[in-house]
Coordinates of all heavy atoms in Angstrom, one line a residue:
M18 N -24.7 20.8 -31.1 CA -26.0 20.2 -31.0 C -25.9 18.7 -31.0 O -25.0 18.1 -31.6 CB -26.8 20.6 -32.2 CG -28.3 20.6 -32.0 SD -29.1 21.0 -33.5 CE -29.1 22.7 -33.5
L19 N -26.7 18.0 -30.2 CA -26.6 16.5 -30.1 C -27.9 15.9 -30.5 O -29.0 16.4 -30.1 CB -26.3 16.1 -28.7 CG -25.0 16.6 -28.1 CD1 -24.8 16.2 -26.7 CD2 -23.8 16.2 -28.9
S20 N -27.9 14.7 -31.1 CA -29.1 14.0 -31.3 C -28.9 12.5 -30.9 O -27.9 12.0 -31.2 CB -29.5 13.9 -32.8 OG -29.9 15.2 -33.2
F21 N -29.8 11.9 -30.1 CA -29.7 10.6 -29.6 C -30.7 9.6 -30.2 O -31.8 9.9 -30.4 CB -29.9 10.6 -28.1 CG -28.8 11.3 -27.4 CD1 -28.8 12.7 -27.3 CD2 -27.8 10.6 -26.7 CE1 -27.8 13.4 -26.7 CE2 -26.8 11.3 -26.0 CZ -26.8 12.7 -26.0
S22 N -30.3 8.3 -30.3 CA -31.2 7.2 -30.6 C -31.0 6.2 -29.5 O -29.9 6.1 -28.9 CB -30.9 6.6 -32.0 OG -31.2 7.6 -33.0
L23 N -32.0 5.3 -29.3 CA -31.9 4.3 -28.3 C -31.0 3.2 -28.7 O -30.5 3.1 -29.8 CB -33.3 3.7 -28.0 CG -34.2 4.6 -27.2 CD1 -35.6 4.0 -27.1 CD2 -33.7 4.9 -25.8
C24 N -30.8 2.2 -27.8 CA -29.8 1.2 -27.7 C -29.4 0.5 -29.1 O -29.4 -0.7 -29.1 CB -30.3 0.1 -26.9 SG -30.9 0.6 -25.3
S25 N -29.1 1.1 -30.1 CA -28.6 0.4 -31.3 C -27.4 1.2 -31.8 O -27.2 2.4 -31.4 CB -29.7 0.4 -32.4 OG -29.8 1.6 -33.0
L26 N -26.6 0.6 -32.5 CA -25.3 1.2 -33.0 C -25.6 2.3 -34.0 O -24.7 3.0 -34.4 CB -24.4 0.2 -33.5 CG -23.8 -0.8 -32.4 CD1 -22.9 -1.8 -33.0 CD2 -23.2 0.0 -31.3
E27 N -26.8 2.4 -34.5 CA -27.2 3.4 -35.5 C -27.7 4.6 -34.7 O -28.0 5.7 -35.3 CB -28.2 3.0 -36.5 CG -27.7 2.0 -37.5 CD -27.4 0.6 -36.9 OE1 -28.2 0.2 -36.0 OE2 -26.5 -0.1 -37.4
A28 N -27.9 4.5 -33.4 CA -28.5 5.6 -32.6 C -27.6 6.8 -32.6 O -26.4 6.7 -32.7 CB -28.7 5.1 -31.2
Q29 N -28.3 8.0 -32.6 CA -27.5 9.3 -32.7 C -28.0 10.4 -31.8 O -29.2 10.3 -31.4 CB -27.5 9.8 -34.2 CG -26.7 8.9 -35.2 CD -26.7 9.5 -36.5 OE1 -27.5 10.3 -36.9 NE2 -25.6 9.2 -37.3
I30 N -27.2 11.3 -31.6 CA -27.5 12.5 -30.8 C -27.0 13.7 -31.6 O -25.9 13.7 -32.2 CB -26.9 12.5 -29.4 CG1 -27.4 11.4 -28.5 CG2 -27.0 13.9 -28.7 CD1 -26.7 11.2 -27.3
T31 N -27.8 14.8 -31.7 CA -27.3 16.0 -32.3 C -27.1 17.0 -31.1 O -28.0 17.2 -30.3 CB -28.3 16.6 -33.3 OG1 -28.5 15.6 -34.3 CG2 -27.8 17.9 -33.8
Y32 N -25.9 17.6 -31.1 CA -25.6 18.5 -30.0 C -25.1 19.8 -30.4 O -24.4 19.9 -31.4 CB -24.5 17.8 -29.1 CG -23.7 18.7 -28.3 CD1 -24.1 19.1 -27.0 CD2 -22.5 19.3 -28.8 CE1 -23.3 20.0 -26.3 CE2 -21.7 20.1 -28.1 CZ -22.2 20.5 -26.8 OH -21.4 21.4 -26.1
R33 N -25.4 20.9 -29.7 CA -24.8 22.2 -29.8 C -24.7 22.8 -28.5 O -25.6 22.8 -27.6 CB -25.6 23.1 -30.7 CG -25.0 24.5 -30.8 CD -25.8 25.4 -31.8 NE -25.7 24.9 -33.2 CZ -26.1 25.7 -34.2 NH1 -26.6 26.9 -34.0 NH2 -26.0 25.2 -35.4
G34 N -23.5 23.4 -28.2 CA -23.3 24.1 -26.9 C -21.8 24.4 -26.8 O -21.0 24.1 -27.6
C35 N -21.5 25.2 -25.7 CA -20.1 25.6 -25.4 C -19.5 26.3 -26.6 O -18.4 25.9 -27.1 CB -19.3 24.5 -24.9 SG -17.7 25.0 -24.2
T36 N -20.3 27.2 -27.2 CA -19.9 27.8 -28.5 C -18.6 28.5 -28.4 O -17.9 28.8 -29.4 CB -21.0 28.7 -29.0 OG1 -21.3 29.7 -28.0 CG2 -22.2 27.9 -29.3
G37 N -18.1 29.0 -27.2 CA -16.9 29.6 -27.1 C -15.7 28.8 -27.4 O -14.6 29.3 -27.8

Side-chain angles (χ1 to χ4, degrees):
M18 206 184 276
L19 301 176
S20 291
F21 291 76
S22 296
L23 285 174
C24 307
S25 73
L26 293 180
E27 289 74 34
Q29 289 186 337
I30 294 170
T31 300
Y32 158 86
R33 176 177 293 192
C35 193
T36 55

